[in-house]
Amino acid sequence: MSDNNNNNDNVEGGKKEKIIMELDDNYVELTYDVIDSTNIINKITKEEAGGISLFIGTTRNNFQDKEVVHLEYEAYDKMAMKEMLKVCNTIREEIKDILGIAIVHRLGVVPVKEASVIIAASCPHRKEAMEATSLGINLLKQIVPIWKKERYSDGTSNWKKNSECKGCVSNHNHNNHNNNNHKNDHQHQ
């Protein structure tokens, strides 16, 4: 297992760190940087793969008649990484021909049109690859502790409750919090 903490962006210096884990052809990453889809495809490409599927979740410019300026994501990092690996393993249990899986989620500010999450899968055949990315985004939204705030053009903002999340609470308090508080009281993207 490779557990690379790329600390080129130190949290105390005003920048954030990137967390990467690779285990058994599973690649998971939390990053504050723009997500590079080509790099992700390269991580999962195998000679035996006849199909690679890529799901890209992006920031849209509207929600319920409000203009969205950008999204802001936070995560309970250690738990999120663990749960993202769990998503990879569940996909492998459900879809037997998986060759490679990658899940990369962005944290911090994500402007309109940019990727918030990319899930990629390689398989011998396209059908399984597409099923894997669909299952992956659904599982990610259900179990991974990542929170989303929408910022609107009128200056207001709103932490979004993910209706797909199992066990999420509706009144999450993001004031004066730290990552340790998130594991017991959370809303997901």
Side-chain angles (χ1 to χ4, degrees):
M1 176 167 111
S2 170
D3 183 0
N4 303 326
N5 287 328
N6 181 350
N7 292 320
N8 60 354
D9 293 337
N10 187 331
V11 173
E12 285 149 19
K15 295 182 180 179
K16 309 291 182 168
E17 68 181 19
K18 177 186 300 188
I19 303 171
I20 299 170
M21 292 179 75
E22 292 182 78
L23 177 63
D24 300 328
D25 291 319
N26 295 332
Y27 177 87
V28 296
E29 177 182 337
L30 292 173
T31 184
Y32 288 85
D33 298 326
V34 172
I35 303 173
D36 179 356
S37 60
T38 302
N39 181 50
I40 295 168
I41 291 169
N42 290 336
K43 294 279 185 196
I44 64 155
T45 299
K46 309 291 181 200
E47 289 183 3
E48 316 87 277
I52 293 175
S53 181
L54 193 66
F55 170 80
I56 303 175
T58 59
T59 301
R60 66 178 169 263
N61 68 356
N62 66 83
F63 181 76
Q64 294 181 346
D65 298 326
K66 292 188 102 172
E67 182 182 352
V68 174
V69 177
H70 66 257
L71 300 178
E72 297 173 19
Y73 288 94
E74 293 183 8
Y76 175 42
D77 298 350
K78 290 178 184 176
M79 182 182 267
M81 294 297 285
K82 179 181 169 187
E83 294 300 313
M84 288 164 73
L85 282 173
K86 200 181 284 184
V87 168
C88 292
N89 291 331
T90 301
I91 292 169
R92 287 182 182 283
E93 289 170 9
E94 296 288 323
I95 302 167
K96 302 300 181 200
D97 289 337
I98 298 290
L99 299 171
I101 302 173
I103 301 173
V104 179
H105 206 296
R106 185 137 165 221
L107 301 176
V109 174
V110 182
V112 170
K113 298 195 309 184
E114 290 189 13
S116 299
V117 61
I118 295 182
I119 299 177
S122 62
C123 296
H125 304 284
R126 69 181 184 278
K127 179 182 177 198
E128 290 80 8
M130 291 187 291
E131 289 172 353
T133 57
S134 179
L135 178 59
I137 190 62
N138 291 336
L139 290 170
L140 179 108
K141 287 178 145 293
Q142 288 175 8
I143 69 170
V144 179
I146 297 174
W147 302 274
K148 175 174 76 175
K149 179 190 276 188
E150 289 182 340
R151 291 265 181 200
Y152 307 110
S153 62
D154 65 5
T156 62
S157 64
N158 188 27
W159 286 103
K160 303 304 293 182
K161 181 179 186 314
N162 180 3
S163 60
E164 298 172 60
C165 175
K166 297 177 180 176
C168 290
V169 296
S170 59
N171 294 320
H172 182 65
N173 181 0
H174 279 267
N175 297 325
N176 300 319
H177 71 278
N178 63 43
N179 279 347
N180 292 330
N181 292 337
H182 288 314
K183 62 185 170 185
N184 294 320
D185 175 25
H186 62 271
Q187 297 175 5
H188 296 289
Q189 55 170 335

